[in-house]
Amino acid sequence: ASALTDKDGIDSADILFIDTPPSIEAHPAEMKRLIAAADLVLVPCRASFDDVESAVPYLQALREGGAKPVVIVNFAKPRLNVAAEKAMLLRAAELCPIELGERADYNRAGAKGLGLVDVAGHTGGDEIRALWEFVRQRLDVCRPVEEPAPVQAELKTRKKGARRAAA
């Protein structure tokens, strides 16, 4: 992290994503430099008690460093009541309105060098596009003139031998 936060360590860019480990708070000087340079801090977190309990101190450290973190609930399970966990997160940070569901297809697509946005009509791709729209609006980034079309991809699922194919 120190090379990235040195005075001349980062070239000019329109958008720069820096993926930091949760342990970045163990390096307060570097964390403060990253926070000072960041326009948006996104923190993915599963909505389980253990994950939320470990994320809250990290979120507090980010806030103490001057950040206004936004938590993205990931690996969300639609039929699971996580209101108590979300309430804990809300006390520590803003919650992103977009949640990312638990999907085995992330691994299947990744094995082919793809993301779910590359699979036409996949719900997981819709979630990622919605998250990107949230980020664009928050950063006031203009939409590109034309979105690239998804590449043709096919994912084999294990559920009842069903197949999901790109159109």
Side-chain angles (χ1 to χ4, degrees):
S2 64
L4 291 173
T5 57
D6 289 341
K7 183 179 177 187
D8 296 321
I10 299 175
D11 292 334
S12 178
D14 292 332
I15 297 177
L16 176 65
F17 292 90
I18 301 173
D19 185 7
T20 65
S23 61
I24 189 70
E25 72 269 15
H27 305 278
E30 289 85 358
M31 185 176 90
K32 285 183 182 179
R33 283 196 293 270
L34 286 171
I35 289 171
D39 295 316
L40 180 61
V41 177
L42 301 173
V43 179
C45 182
R46 292 180 190 215
S48 71
F49 180 79
D50 290 339
D51 289 313
V52 170
E53 187 178 50
S54 69
V56 166
Y58 175 59
L59 294 165
Q60 290 171 338
L62 287 168
R63 286 180 39 211
E64 289 168 5
K68 294 179 181 174
V70 178
V71 176
I72 303 166
V73 173
N74 67 347
F75 289 90
K77 297 179 183 181
R79 293 182 205 115
L80 189 62
N81 182 350
V82 292
E85 290 81 357
K86 286 182 179 180
M88 289 172 63
L89 288 170
L90 273 171
R91 287 190 285 277
E94 176 185 354
L95 282 182
C96 180
I98 306 303
E99 295 183 357
L100 303 178
E102 180 179 37
R103 303 188 187 287
D105 284 346
Y106 281 114
N107 293 333
R108 291 187 187 100
K112 295 179 178 213
L114 303 171
L116 292 185
V117 296
D118 299 317
V119 181
H122 197 290
T123 303
D126 294 341
E127 292 169 350
I128 296 299
R129 281 186 287 280
L131 176 59
W132 178 233
E133 188 59 34
F134 170 81
V135 169
R136 276 190 226 217
Q137 287 180 15
R138 186 57 61 99
L139 295 177
D140 197 25
V141 175
C142 294
R143 181 181 304 274
V145 175
E146 187 176 315
E147 291 284 341
V151 297
Q152 206 167 37
E154 181 179 292
L155 298 179
K156 295 179 183 176
T157 64
R158 294 188 182 152
K159 293 181 181 178
K160 301 177 186 174
R163 294 171 69 102
R164 182 181 294 267

